[in-house]
Amino acid sequence: QKEVEQDPGPLSVPEGAIVSLNCTYSNSAFQYFMWYRQYSRKGPELLMYTYSSGNKEDGRFTAQVDKSSKYISLFIRDSQPSDSATYLCAMSAAGTGNQFYFGTGTSLTVIP
Amino acid sequence: KAGVTQTPRYLIKTRGQQVTLSCSPISGHRSVSWYQQTPGQGLQFLFEYFSETQRNKGNFPGRFSGRQFSNSRSEMNVSTLELGDSALYLCASSLGQDILAKNIQYFGAGTRLSVL
């Protein structure tokens, strides 16, 4: 079983829709949770990061962490065509230095 | 501030050859991590270097190796290339401290390696 599971999609939504992206994980030691966005032929760029459980909002983006269910989500409100990209979740545990574990990514297309 | 720079952007090699990829981290960053990205497996961690020492290592064969120089620049070497090594190789740099705000990884654009 992979440490991090992510539905690869592809996901296709109309402009203005609310998008929900999700990851599950198996390692209860994970405490740091991140979402990256990757455009075609580019490296991943950090969107949001959170520590432990709870919600974090940044503009149109909201990240949620439910440690009891080992489940994290990224919500995108009022989705735009420029949001079309692959979204990767990542997580790490304290005391492991810089070892991050990534999901395989969800491909999102927002249709104008 | 300049971002993470990876060279070359594209490489074509044949089976059995070896290849060296280069990564220049963001100024001030002492940690460099390498990842292999493929459509089926996603991002897989290769290794991390911090202050010229390998600090973490993923589950890849010994054909994959790396090093870091005193200026934090890093190189990754793959010997005896196999067809399955075709992938996007990404480098990420960070301050490398074990506090999330100091630990955020910033990625380069990657080197796309094709093995024929």
Side-chain angles (χ1 to χ4, degrees):
Chain A
Q1 184 192 4
K2 281 192 163 189
E3 300 242 27
V4 181
E5 299 279 359
Q6 184 175 9
D7 186 338
L11 192 58
S12 185
V13 301
E15 184 175 352
I18 296 174
V19 176
S20 171
L21 305 167
N22 311 295
C23 288
T24 58
Y25 61 95
S26 55
N27 188 346
S28 57
F30 287 149
Q31 289 184 291
Y32 304 140
F33 304 93
M34 290 136 286
W35 286 95
Y36 284 82
R37 176 175 62 196
Q38 186 175 20
Y39 291 114
S40 180
R41 302 196 178 279
K42 302 273 190 181
E45 59 175 324
L46 181 71
L47 267 179
M48 299 184 72
Y49 67 90
T50 57
Y51 171 72
S52 197
S53 283
N55 292 3
K56 184 173 182 180
E57 190 173 316
D58 184 2
R60 298 185 293 112
F61 299 89
T62 300
Q64 280 187 354
V65 175
D66 182 349
K67 289 194 74 182
S68 62
S69 302
K70 299 192 182 71
Y71 188 89
I72 69 170
S73 300
L74 178 71
F75 297 96
I76 307 174
R77 290 183 300 281
D78 187 26
S79 55
Q80 302 295 309
S82 58
D83 295 329
S84 298
T86 296
Y87 290 80
L88 299 149
C89 63
M91 41 200 85
S92 68
T96 60
N98 237 18
Q99 188 156 359
F100 285 26
Y101 296 84
F102 283 82
T104 51
T106 300
S107 175
L108 170 68
T109 300
V110 180
I111 303 166
Chain B
K1 193 148 109 166
V4 179
T5 303
Q6 289 187 249
T7 57
R9 289 294 313 277
Y10 302 94
L11 265 178
I12 299 175
K13 293 285 186 178
T14 55
R15 275 182 302 173
Q17 286 187 308
Q18 78 163 25
V19 67
T20 300
L21 313 181
S22 180
C23 173
S24 293
I26 291 170
S27 177
H29 284 190
R30 295 165 64 190
S31 168
V32 173
S33 297
W34 288 90
Y35 295 86
Q36 182 194 67
Q37 188 177 34
T38 56
Q41 297 295 316
L43 267 158
Q44 292 188 285
F45 174 76
L46 281 152
F47 31 66
E48 182 221 359
Y49 284 87
F50 180 80
S51 293
E52 301 180 66
T53 302
Q54 188 180 85
R55 187 163 66 170
N56 281 303
K57 189 177 188 309
N59 195 24
F60 276 80
R63 300 186 296 108
F64 292 82
S65 63
R67 59 178 176 168
Q68 187 179 34
F69 302 96
S70 58
N71 62 357
S72 294
R73 190 177 71 85
S74 177
E75 286 182 348
M76 190 192 96
N77 186 75
V78 188
S79 62
T80 320
L81 284 166
E82 300 177 0
L83 294 178
D85 296 334
S86 294
L88 179 67
Y89 289 88
L90 290 160
C91 152
S93 79
S94 76
L95 289 167
Q97 299 173 30
D98 197 17
I99 304 169
L100 180 60
K102 305 283 188 186
N103 208 20
I104 294 168
Q105 295 194 354
Y106 298 88
F107 283 85
T111 295
R112 186 163 296 280
L113 173 63
S114 298
V115 182
L116 306 177

